[in-house]
Amino acid sequence: MQWWRDAVVYQIYVRSFSDADGDGIGDLDGIRSRLGYLELLGVDVLRLTPFYTSPMADHGYDVADPRDVDPVFGDLVTFDALVADAHKHGLRVTIDLVPNHTSSEHEWFRAALASTPGSPERARFHFRPGRGAGGMKPPNNWTSAFGGPAWTRVRDSTDGPGEWYLHLFTREQPDLNWTNPEVWADMEKTLRFWLDRGVDGFRIDVADGMSKPEDLPDMVAHDGPDPRFDHDGVHDVHRMIRAVVDHYPDAMVMGELGVRDGERFALYLRNDELHLGCRAVLADAPFAAERIREIVQQSLAAVSSVDATPTWAYSGHDLSRPVTRYGGGAGGVARARALALVMCALPGAVCLYNGDELGLPDVDLPDELLQDPLWSRCGRTERGRDAYRVPLPWEGGPPGYGFTSGAPWLPMPAEYGLASVAEQLEDTESTLSLFRRAIELRRAHGGVTDTTLEWFGAPEGCLAFRRSGSTLVCALNTSDVPVPLPPGDILLASGPLLDGDLLPPDTAAWLA
Ligand code: NOJ
């Protein structure tokens, strides 16, 4: 059964979702206690961000043991209970896998540091001698996604300057060498470990990473091809992953893909690679109907060439929250709600990020509380991603708003209290109520396998479409003036409509 084709995927940033033990950090038991909420929201599948043993240099994307749970989040017994309970609530569970790199605290990397150049221990990573006099310069000019060179030099056995190792992210995240069969075998072991525990699939972190060109060539001009990502060899890795996953009926693999080019993107979705490929294209769009339409069309064209299904996302734990991106305040909320209706009307899978269903904005945090490595690694020029990782407000007052009985790991502002789940469940006009209704209607109008769209004529700054074979029409107004709605019965609107069936600016509506 291809359940994932139309699925609503709900991303749980584990650290910020719900804290059961009062240490101020979300955990697996916290998620367990909120399964009723997730069922009520109506999502199909959860995606948990990494909860594995980790020193948390990148909040869990630095994995020290991919087959265990970090004590801050729980243990394997809790994990098993979470999967079993989620299934009882009709929710599937997928988990983040991080195959591109490990943590520098992983036993492999420690062994590599304790070994000599050319050793099998070092061959699991990318160790190279430096360039120039005394090997002082990094082996190539690659930069890390978090700023600075993608190489760090280690000490040799006499404590003198030694080789350099590659890390596309922080220096605590050494890249694995995917030409090494041990790396493949270990990934297979990890996949089976979690599939045997009942997970319904994976989200692959940096799915266009892993494979590197053999000679590690320098990066050229800023807009030239980037040798760090999307190297052809990566497809063999995905074929291996898929071959393992296919032994488990109904399991799904979704990849995080930064690949911009539609044809290159589609290669990952061939029928022996990823089921779903996620790039938050809708987050790239300004709130402008023409541009949104263009992005939707390009995305549909890309996946149709390989007969795959599209995946839509407008947010995530690496992206500013939609409300803030669209200008903040009441206008930002209105625009985010409107785009949510557009996204939920599109064919394919939809990825929501926890808190978007509450219309949460980014939080302005004081410098001294920022924790994202981006902030410190970029010489405090980029504020990093903490602003959209602030814990979720559930009910009650400060400091924890039901997220924790202790002190939340990032402070929660009073405006989060006003937007809590408890408040919004009571309010039929709330963003939470809008999402619940949209997901419910989407399901009621589902069952359509066609992934093409019919576009209707629409005034400037507006768009209207229907999924081929469906009766649901979605109209969006991004212009400054009210426009007439297309004909049909109004099923749902992202904001109040005006007399005479006019669709106001910053509003979307669904009609039958
Ligand atoms: C993508 C993840 O979403 C991000 O949070 C992380 O920092 C990088 N991959 C590195 O793992």
Side-chain angles (χ1 to χ4, degrees), residues 58 61 101 146 169 203 205-206 256 317-318 385 389:
D58 187 16
Y61 283 94
H101 43 267
F146 293 132
F169 295 89
R203 177 262 194 188
D205 187 60
V206 201
E256 179 207 26
H317 69 286
D318 297 326
R385 302 161 292 179
R389 297 175 173 182

Side-chain angles (χ1 to χ4, degrees), residues 299-321:
S299 302
L300 289 175
V303 297
S304 73
S305 67
V306 284
D307 198 25
T309 200
T311 305
W312 307 102
Y314 76 160
S315 61
H317 69 286
D318 297 326
L319 295 167
S320 188
R321 290 218 179 248

Side-chain angles (χ1 to χ4, degrees), residues 142 217-230 258 260-261:
W142 293 7
D218 274 343
M219 293 166 73
V220 283
H222 193 59
D223 49 358
D226 186 340
R228 299 172 303 170
F229 300 102
D230 192 29
R260 300 264 142 192
D261 179 79

